[in-house]
Amino acid sequence: MTVQDTAQQTPADRFRVGIDIGGTKIEAVLVDPQDNVRNDVRIPARRGNAQVIDDVVSITHEVAGDLFDQVATVGIGIPGQVNPETGRVDNVVNLDIDTLELGTEAGKRLGIPVHVENDVNAAAVGAARMVGGSHPEGTIVFLNFGTGLAAGIVVDGVVQHGFSGAAGEIGHIPIDPNRFPCPCGQSGCLETVCSGASVGRHWPVEGKPPMPDLIECARRGEPDAQRILVMVTHAIVDAVQIVAQSYDPRMIIFGGGMAKTGQPLIDVTLDELRVRERTCPFLTGLHLGERIKLAQLDQPVGALGAAWAAPEA
């Protein structure tokens, strides 16, 4: 392809790069115009502003390879407070970032438009398209049970940020009756009970994920496991009801590390949901169990979502 041919292409005819930045690794995908993943690269994450910029630039070149000149946009998903309009990132504790103009600085180095989203919002776009179809219609909510708990809201394929960017921050709604202290300064936040990290604190096990072990032990009749599982599933269904009754989505997708538990996580969630439905015709009429799905966690959901969330240049 000649330089003139490349210049005449529209963004829809060109490639996209999506990058998912985590506390320990960075994953990038190269997506072709038909939304096929043409390449996938992972590198260790490094702490610090300069290191993150360098890693974004290097992994973009690595994943694109000889097709770099055909890349129209780069999308990035990253934890912390993100201004998607400017690409500014604040308070990424795991990467030692206080403030970073990630979109601007990476865009200058790459010579390509760079769009930055919060990592949960990026994953929400990815999950919505992978589970709900390439052109998802209506409202889809992605519940991320990871280190914390947050929801990504996608309407007709477009992530919703709200006025201040805090849309979906349901993990810090302080309604859990156990009143565990939260690092945010409140007590009783949902994520102190049903995030992946909190389950690990309440049910510590060596060498394996805590949620599958907790479910297995509870099913064997271990009293401590049964008590903790009731507490966790109560908070999970609180989260489901909050997003269901606030946004009335056609689909609620479970994602994040805890969702790797798979169908057993859905099963215990439905068990708690049925308990509530027995005494609440209103809740029964919502048919929430039919709306709950699992994200395709064997796929690079976050990186793909970051690529798809980037507007066409």
Side-chain angles (χ1 to χ4, degrees), residues 24 46 105 153 158 172 179 196 214 216 250 260 268-269 271 282 294:
T24 59
R46 298 187 297 160
E105 295 301 320
I153 300 99
V158 179
H172 294 295
R179 310 307 296 171
L214 174 63
E216 182 181 345
R250 70 179 181 92
K260 293 180 180 178
V268 296
T269 300
D271 288 343
F282 164 73
L294 277 171

Side-chain angles (χ1 to χ4, degrees), residues 11 14 28 101 125 135 190 238 245 268 274 290 297 303:
R14 298 173 67 187
E101 299 291 347
V125 174
H135 299 286
L190 281 178
D238 281 348
Q245 293 169 229
V268 296
R274 291 187 192 105
E290 299 173 13
L297 296 174

